Amino acid sequence: AADGVRTELVDRDDPRLGRVGVPEDRAAAQAWASFTKALVVTVPAELDAPAPTTVTVEGQGGLGYAHVLVVAEHHSRGIVVLDHRGSATVSANVEIDVEDGADLTVVSIQDWADDAVHLSAQRAVVGRDAKLRHVVVSLGGDVVRISPTASFSGPGGEVELVGLYFADAGQHLEHRLFVDHAVPHCKSRALYKGALQGDKA
């Protein structure tokens, strides 16, 4: 963790979990029902974190479920990197809570081994005059599906969704984006670029 950023491993009954939103598909619902501990990363109010905070997920085979909550408290600024590597079958939920006036960047890197399967629902709520940059880089894995979704809880919010992917032969890399503009005077921008190489990429 960067200086000043808090990380905690909490039980599934922690009241902070689930406030960003409920699971929206079967894989996310299974992950929600099956995780036992969750990682909470908090950028405290008013903090301008001096460096990124990196969460490394190292798959060592088998089936796993994960839950991560990233909170940028009001008027804070920070970068959180989720770095996925190794070999595993993983279904995960990532909650991103960007409070009023905060500026948060979340980077999700999928650099798995060739046999890995990774399904991840990454849901964000962006507060009044807050900004979220969500970056996805998908390179490794057999099947990878990342579903970034964002909504707003106050006017003046901004969301930028950017992604980069490179699929080799036989790889299935999928990204499902959705932004809910139910709150007025908010804006979003989405840009994903990628390349395919080889049979059935």
Side-chain angles (χ1 to χ4, degrees), residues 75-126:
H75 298 96
S76 65
R77 180 187 297 265
I79 300 172
V80 176
V81 179
L82 308 175
D83 187 5
H84 304 91
R85 57 181 73 174
S87 177
T89 297
V90 177
S91 186
N93 285 295
V94 178
E95 296 184 76
I96 303 167
D97 187 1
V98 188
E99 296 184 0
D100 294 353
D103 187 335
L104 178 68
T105 299
V106 175
V107 182
S108 182
I109 302 171
Q110 289 65 240
D111 197 15
W112 294 103
D114 290 343
D115 62 343
V117 176
H118 181 203
L119 308 178
S120 179
Q122 304 190 4
R123 298 184 304 280
V125 173
V126 179

Side-chain angles (χ1 to χ4, degrees), residues 3-198:
D3 289 345
V5 175
R6 301 192 305 269
T7 60
E8 310 164 70
L9 200 60
V10 302
D11 293 325
R12 60 176 297 116
D13 60 354
D14 189 290
R16 293 170 292 181
L17 303 180
R19 67 184 182 186
V20 170
V22 298
E24 297 172 342
D25 61 35
R26 185 171 294 181
Q30 182 66 52
W32 173 262
S34 302
F35 80 93
T36 54
K37 296 281 187 179
L39 178 67
V40 179
V41 179
T42 304
V43 184
E46 311 289 344
L47 176 71
D48 188 349
T53 293
T54 301
V55 177
T56 302
V57 179
E58 182 77 39
Q60 299 180 349
L63 173 65
Y65 300 98
H67 196 99
V68 178
L69 169 62
V70 180
V71 180
E73 294 183 344
H74 64 87
H75 298 96
S76 65
R77 180 187 297 265
I79 300 172
V80 176
V81 179
L82 308 175
D83 187 5
H84 304 91
R85 57 181 73 174
S87 177
T89 297
V90 177
S91 186
N93 285 295
V94 178
E95 296 184 76
I96 303 167
D97 187 1
V98 188
E99 296 184 0
D100 294 353
D103 187 335
L104 178 68
T105 299
V106 175
V107 182
S108 182
I109 302 171
Q110 289 65 240
D111 197 15
W112 294 103
D114 290 343
D115 62 343
V117 176
H118 181 203
L119 308 178
S120 179
Q122 304 190 4
R123 298 184 304 280
V125 173
V126 179
R128 175 186 290 269
D129 298 324
K131 185 170 185 178
L132 170 67
R133 295 176 199 85
H134 187 274
V135 182
V136 171
V137 179
S138 296
L139 302 172
D142 181 31
V143 175
V144 172
R145 187 185 76 199
I146 311 297
S147 301
T149 63
S151 61
F152 300 97
S153 62
E158 297 182 32
V159 172
E160 184 177 13
L161 304 173
V162 295
L164 173 69
Y165 59 91
F166 191 97
D168 278 323
Q171 274 188 299
H172 179 92
L173 305 180
E174 182 177 350
H175 307 96
R176 299 181 178 184
L177 287 70
F178 179 75
V179 180
D180 184 351
H181 278 275
V183 175
H185 308 298
C186 296
K187 62 182 179 180
S188 65
R189 176 176 179 267
L191 177 64
Y192 271 59
K193 291 191 175 184
L196 311 178
Q197 173 179 275

